[in-house]
Amino acid sequence: MQYIRFFATIGINDVGLVGGKNASLGEMYQNLTQLGVNIPNGFSTTRDAYDLLLAQNNLAQRIDALIKDLDIEDVAQLQSSGKAVRELILNEPLPVEIEVEVSEAYAQLSASYEEHNIDVAVRSSATAEDLPDASFAGQQESFLNIRGELSLLIHVRKCFASLFTDRAISYRHSRGFDYRQIALCVGIQKMVRSDQASSGVMFTLDTQSGNDNVIMINSIFGLGENIVGGRVNPDEFFVFKPTLKANKSAIIKRQIGSKEMKMIYDDKLKTLNVSTTLNERTRFSLSDDEVVTLARYALLIEAHYAMPMDIEWAKDTSVGEFYIVQARPETVHSKRLHDNKPSTIKKYLIKEDTSKCTQLVKGIAIGEKIGVGVVKVISDLSEAARFNAGEVLVTGSTDPDWEPLMKKAAAVVTNKGGRTCHAAIVAREIGVSTIVGTVNAMNVLQDGTEVTVCCAEGETGYVYQGRVDFEIEEIAVQNLQETKTKLFMNVGNPEQAFGLASIPNHGVGLARMEFIINNHIKAHPMALYDMQQGRYVTGSEEIEHLMQGFADPESFFVDKLSAGIGMIAAAFYPKPVIVRTSDFKTNEYQHMLGGEAYEQDEENPMIGFRGASRYYSDAYKEAFKWECVALKKVRDEMGLTNVKVMLPFVRTPDEGRRVIAIMNEMGLVQGQNELQVYAMCEVPSNVILADEFLKVFDGYSIGSNDLTQLTLGVDRDSTLVAHIFDERNEAVKRMLKMAIDACKKEGKYIGICGQAPSDYPEITEFLVEHGISSISLNPDSVLKMRQVVVEIEKRLGKK
């Protein structure tokens, strides 16, 4: 056949012949099926078929006449010209030679599945798509569940016409592609019946930060059109590659999506969308075993192509197996690697306290930028002429048809969509600040309102009322000088971990467990424990809503906590990550769901029922055991042995021994599997009795905030004596030196994770001069203080 090639005869070098998508499918079909990756069989039209169509009746010249004077920035003209070209192609019959060969190939494909007129997906595949620097994601059309020769030929013609969708014309122009140099080929592929199962998209890196140690999987029920079209908020999973390769439990994140609808077949085998059931919306669309199976497929495909990949998959209802239906290079972060430009980090930093800003809506952040502008709500593309450059585009969902508007927008906010939908891919390529899946943006945000769209605070994006002050910091990270003193980072939010890990560092000196409990679990741990025992808890209805997708309160607490810790540990792997067990005070625990029943009022919670004394108390011990279970899961099951454990506010050596005994009881044994257990050095007794404490612990991390307040007798929350609180006070500095000297004498770890080094270079100099092992800083201080430490170490070396 001249105009048709079956996947079994196509190689990756045939992009110019059958297009990027079909070339990769053919390559995978021949090579990866031998490794156990399921890929549906199919065939593709060739470039010769496209050229034959354009040569028929001077079609190419007639297309040229329609678009030669097109102003791409004029949306109305773009829509008019695009429609005219598509109608021109749709009204042109396929050349007889193409019709004959497509029909013959379809008959052969049907026979290979022992069926008559099998159902197929008809997919577009351009010869200039799926490149390392331009995905062309969703720019041309694909059609699902096409059955019968006549219907197939009609949809082949529709695919050819889709080379001239408005979005494709705009996308090519913005990236300097001449349509005359591009051919569109049509892939016909056996349909995967995922209508009663699940489907989705996966990337072999974190699309937000570019960290290539993870596989990100998005999943929904039903056919995959809804996920790539951004019409459904999907479930999301992160799988950590290094521990997956070591056959460990590598899932470090599970986040349930609303999945409001699914695409299925009706009685006449046509596709339609129906609402999902309550059960489907409140449970995950993949089991853990299925997530791991898909992740292993992703590893094989990435290794095969030797680059980060964007992969579409579907689970076949009839055979119960997963199939890969598309794979292409990831474009945004791959482009950075492909260009081999000097390594710099551009950070968007909010300069205001956002807790005091009015938050209007929130959703999934795409990218890490910040955009400011006036809201314009656009319900449908027919209203495109209303949209002006520099406005914030607010709409229901943004499939790739919206690309011409997205290019003009200061930011984009949608009700629906996930991190892997086509619009999100295009938004990353364009570089526009985008938040998807807000659910209610179109109702809350009003035309003419000035807003700030912030994607710089982790995985969650926020829309704030008005203009919030921010700055853009560009940091050159090449040729940074190494330091003898380890420079760690304080990290609390798992959602920011992968982004923060891109800043040059030596690890995490303080990962706050209470941040994860407060923001991801939200319920008092003992309330969850009592619910696990079948006892009634005030607020249980709200807590049960939070637990959707989890089997019971214990698995909810342990899985959520271990996922949060695992995200931070994976982001910085294999560098050390020191996790401090929960350090809430009673007034903070009271504010959690169900908390009032478990916490007493204290006159001074800062020196009350907190830290180690809480862990062995009957009032909290069972919840602390759950904390231990979560830590053990991260280290032993996930394989993230870079996690070290740190206990806060240990007042006496005996308290330390009592807590470590509970840890041992729960299988979190000091010394086993390289587990080190540190104590916060923040109570004067920790310094005075350091020799005794260091018989119990593997080292200290100085908490300068509490150590300062307890050394000077100052309530650091009191404005009346705030002027006395100063870590540079001589009494505090002597305490710091005593702690450092004690650890050095015993050969134990000694670091600091308090605020002082981030605020005061002179404290940093004092610590380095006295030989501290590590300094853990706030992320925005790490690079600035690195240069300070380099200069200090140079001076000390000369001395």
Side-chain angles (χ1 to χ4, degrees):
M1 292 184 181
Q2 181 180 355
Y3 302 107
I4 293 296
R5 289 285 295 274
F6 275 89
F7 288 167
T9 66
I10 297 172
I12 195 62
N13 295 323
D14 291 327
V15 171
L17 175 70
V18 295
K21 201 174 297 176
N22 293 336
S24 68
L25 280 169
E27 172 88 358
M28 287 193 299
Y29 183 80
Q30 295 171 61
N31 296 310
L32 294 185
T33 49
Q34 300 172 20
L35 300 176
V37 179
N38 296 317
I39 299 163
N41 198 1
F43 59 91
S44 170
T45 63
T46 64
R47 177 163 192 143
D48 286 347
Y50 176 77
D51 291 341
L52 182 64
L53 174 65
L54 289 193
Q56 182 172 271
N57 297 325
N58 296 316
L59 186 59
Q61 290 82 356
R62 291 151 65 198
I63 292 171
D64 283 342
L66 287 171
I67 63 175
K68 66 178 181 179
D69 297 322
L70 173 62
D71 178 4
I72 221 75
E73 302 302 323
D74 185 334
V75 175
Q77 187 185 5
L78 174 62
Q79 290 176 330
S80 174
S81 297
K83 182 180 179 182
V85 173
R86 293 192 299 275
E87 288 180 348
L88 188 66
I89 296 172
L90 289 172
N91 289 327
E92 187 71 28
L94 286 176
V96 173
E97 300 94 322
I98 297 174
E99 284 195 358
V100 169
E101 291 197 7
V102 167
S103 298
E104 288 180 2
Y106 178 58
Q108 288 182 36
L109 184 65
S110 296
S112 71
Y113 285 94
E114 298 181 349
E115 289 186 36
H116 177 66
N117 289 345
I118 61 166
D119 51 342
V120 292
V122 183
R123 297 177 175 273
S124 59
S125 181
T127 55
E129 72 176 356
D130 298 342
L131 303 175
D133 58 350
S135 69
F136 283 79
Q139 299 307 310
Q140 289 84 225
E141 299 286 1
S142 292
F143 303 94
L144 303 180
N145 192 31
I146 305 305
R147 186 184 294 269
E149 180 183 318
L150 178 61
S151 180
L152 174 59
L153 293 171
I154 290 171
H155 285 90
V156 166
R157 195 160 69 245
K158 286 183 177 181
C159 263
F160 281 132
S162 73
L163 187 63
F164 296 93
T165 59
D166 303 345
R167 60 190 184 251
I169 297 170
S170 173
Y171 188 94
R172 284 194 298 269
H173 181 271
S174 66
R175 284 154 184 79
F177 287 92
D178 185 339
Y179 89 90
R180 299 172 189 83
Q181 306 303 315
I182 298 172
L184 191 134
C185 306
V186 182
I188 291 89
Q189 185 180 32
K190 173 69 176 75
M191 189 75 187
V192 178
R193 289 292 303 265
S194 61
D195 50 304
Q196 298 301 321
S198 56
S199 58
V201 179
M202 54 185 172
F203 283 78
T204 61
L205 48 62
D206 172 29
T207 56
Q208 193 75 344
S209 68
N211 188 300
D212 61 358
N213 262 342
V214 294
I215 296 164
M216 185 182 74
I217 300 174
N218 278 189
S219 172
I220 60 171
F221 290 114
L223 301 176
E225 187 67 17
N226 283 334
I227 196 168
V228 296
R231 293 187 286 272
V232 174
N233 299 336
D235 297 335
E236 185 165 278
F237 306 88
F238 273 41
V239 182
F240 190 52
K241 291 179 188 174
T243 50
L244 176 67
K245 293 173 183 176
N247 295 315
K248 295 287 187 179
S249 176
I251 303 172
I252 57 174
K253 177 186 177 183
R254 300 170 185 81
Q255 182 172 305
I256 200 160
S258 53
K259 308 183 296 293
E260 301 93 344
M261 60 182 177
K262 64 179 180 179
M263 184 177 285
I264 62 170
Y265 288 166
D266 65 13
D267 294 339
K268 297 180 181 179
L269 296 180
K270 299 293 183 183
T271 56
L272 80 160
N273 273 315
V274 297
S275 296
T276 47
T277 65
L278 177 62
N279 176 265
E280 288 171 324
R281 292 193 295 273
T282 55
R283 67 179 173 90
F284 289 107
S285 48
L286 289 173
S287 69
D288 283 2
D289 287 345
E290 290 175 330
V291 170
V292 170
T293 296
L294 284 169
R296 294 198 184 282
Y297 276 12
L299 282 180
L300 290 169
I301 294 168
E302 181 181 52
H304 182 70
Y305 288 105
M307 65 179 68
M309 298 296 289
D310 165 4
I311 302 161
E312 292 181 23
W313 58 270
K315 184 178 181 181
D316 194 287
T317 308
S318 57
V319 296
E321 292 187 357
F322 289 101
Y323 285 81
I324 301 302
V325 296
Q326 183 172 304
R328 57 180 170 229
E330 188 276 341
T331 53
V332 178
H333 300 288
S334 295
K335 184 176 187 296
R336 188 187 68 231
L337 298 171
H338 183 261
D339 290 346
N340 198 27
K341 292 178 179 177
S343 181
T344 60
I345 300 173
K346 184 179 283 188
K347 291 290 182 184
Y348 284 69
L349 305 170
I350 289 280
K351 297 176 69 176
E352 299 183 30
D353 180 358
T354 54
S355 66
K356 298 177 181 177
C357 300
T358 302
Q359 182 194 120
L360 300 175
V361 296
K362 65 180 181 179
I364 300 168
I366 304 300
E368 299 177 327
K369 294 185 177 181
I370 299 172
V372 179
V374 171
V375 168
K376 180 64 67 68
V377 179
I378 302 291
S379 300
D380 186 84
L381 270 178
S382 61
E383 305 176 63
R386 292 179 50 234
F387 189 78
N388 302 306
E391 293 179 324
V392 173
L393 174 62
V394 178
T395 188
S397 62
T398 55
D399 65 35
D401 280 329
W402 293 73
E403 193 258 0
L405 265 66
M406 293 169 69
K407 287 194 306 184
K408 299 164 58 177
V412 178
V413 184
T414 74
N415 280 7
K416 299 176 182 178
R419 209 181 305 278
T420 57
C421 65
H422 279 141
I425 297 170
V426 173
R428 289 188 198 96
E429 290 186 8
I430 294 172
V432 62
S433 177
T434 299
I435 300 175
V436 300
T438 63
V439 179
N440 59 349
M442 292 185 71
N443 295 330
V444 175
L445 304 180
Q446 303 296 317
D447 277 3
T449 305
E450 186 176 48
V451 297
T452 299
V453 179
C454 180
C455 296
E457 298 177 78
E459 294 181 351
T460 302
Y462 300 93
V463 179
Y464 297 111
Q465 185 171 300
R467 180 179 293 268
V468 177
D469 193 20
F470 70 94
E471 63 182 4
I472 304 172
E473 183 179 4
E474 190 154 348
I475 309 160
V477 296
Q478 281 192 329
N479 304 317
L480 284 175
Q481 291 180 271
E482 194 51 80
T483 58
K484 180 181 177 182
T485 309
K486 300 299 182 186
L487 296 179
F488 289 173
M489 197 181 297
N490 297 334
V491 179
N493 187 351
E495 294 181 356
Q496 295 180 335
F498 284 101
L500 294 175
S502 65
I503 300 172
N505 66 85
H506 296 115
V508 175
L510 175 62
R512 299 179 178 91
M513 186 183 283
E514 63 269 14
F515 184 98
I516 301 169
I517 296 173
N518 192 49
N519 290 278
H520 294 260
I521 295 173
K522 300 181 180 180
H524 193 289
M526 286 305 296
L528 290 168
Y529 176 77
D530 278 348
M531 289 176 66
Q532 181 73 22
Q533 309 311 310
R535 303 182 188 116
Y536 175 77
V537 170
T538 302
S540 59
E541 295 82 2
E542 194 170 351
I543 295 173
E544 286 172 356
H545 179 73
L546 292 172
M547 288 167 42
Q548 288 180 355
F550 294 88
D552 53 49
E554 181 177 1
S555 63
F556 168 65
F557 182 90
V558 171
D559 288 353
K560 279 280 191 180
L561 185 55
S562 60
I565 298 169
M567 285 282 282
I568 298 173
F572 289 85
Y573 185 87
K575 300 170 186 174
V577 171
I578 302 172
V579 178
R580 185 179 70 189
T581 48
S582 62
D583 192 26
F584 283 120
K585 291 77 178 173
T586 49
N587 57 324
E588 295 167 336
Y589 266 122
Q590 276 182 337
H591 295 142
M592 301 187 76
L593 282 173
E596 289 188 3
Y598 301 92
E599 304 295 335
Q600 300 178 15
D601 291 327
E602 291 188 293
E603 291 296 328
N604 192 342
M606 194 70 74
I607 54 174
F609 189 43
R610 62 176 288 203
S613 60
R614 181 178 280 268
Y615 302 153
Y616 59 81
S617 165
D618 290 339
Y620 191 82
K621 182 167 62 175
E622 297 302 328
F624 178 67
K625 289 180 178 179
W626 283 4
E627 292 183 26
C628 294
V629 172
L631 284 164
K632 179 175 169 58
K633 181 174 183 176
V634 171
R635 285 181 47 82
D636 295 352
E637 293 183 27
M638 295 183 182
L640 294 166
T641 54
N642 58 325
V643 167
K644 321 294 181 185
V645 177
M646 181 163 64
L647 303 180
F649 228 76
V650 187
R651 294 173 170 95
T652 69
D654 185 59
E655 276 202 317
R657 282 187 282 269
R658 295 181 70 175
V659 174
I660 287 176
I662 297 172
M663 293 171 62
N664 290 343
E665 177 191 341
M666 302 309 297
L668 198 64
V669 180
Q670 187 178 18
Q672 279 189 9
N673 202 12
E674 302 177 359
L675 174 61
Q676 292 184 316
V677 181
Y678 304 141
M680 288 284 288
C681 181
E682 55 191 343
V683 181
S685 62
N686 300 146
V687 179
I688 298 165
L689 292 176
D691 56 333
E692 295 298 322
F693 276 97
L694 292 173
K695 293 176 183 176
V696 180
F697 294 101
D698 297 304
Y700 271 163
S701 183
I702 299 168
S704 59
N705 298 343
D706 275 328
L707 188 60
T708 299
Q709 85 165 339
L710 295 174
T711 299
L712 298 179
V714 175
D715 181 352
R716 60 187 168 109
D717 288 340
S718 171
T719 56
L720 298 175
V721 290
H723 61 286
I724 302 172
F725 185 92
D726 190 344
E727 296 98 325
R728 296 166 295 181
N729 184 282
E730 184 61 29
V732 178
K733 289 169 70 175
R734 290 190 186 186
M735 296 291 269
L736 295 175
K737 183 179 184 305
M738 289 168 65
I740 294 170
D741 289 347
C743 287
K744 288 173 69 178
K745 180 181 176 182
E746 298 296 330
K748 298 289 182 87
Y749 167 81
I750 177 66
I752 186 168
C753 59
Q755 184 69 25
S758 295
D759 291 343
Y760 304 118
E762 57 267 45
I763 287 291
T764 300
E765 182 165 0
F766 177 86
L767 295 167
V768 173
E769 183 177 349
H770 287 90
I772 198 162
S773 305
S774 71
I775 300 173
S776 195
L777 302 154
N778 293 335
D780 58 359
S781 304
V782 171
L783 289 176
K784 177 179 67 178
M785 295 309 296
R786 188 188 191 103
Q787 192 56 42
V788 171
V789 171
V790 166
E791 295 301 323
I792 293 169
E793 291 184 346
K794 280 182 181 178
R795 272 200 317 272
L796 293 174
K798 288 177 182 178
K799 289 180 182 178

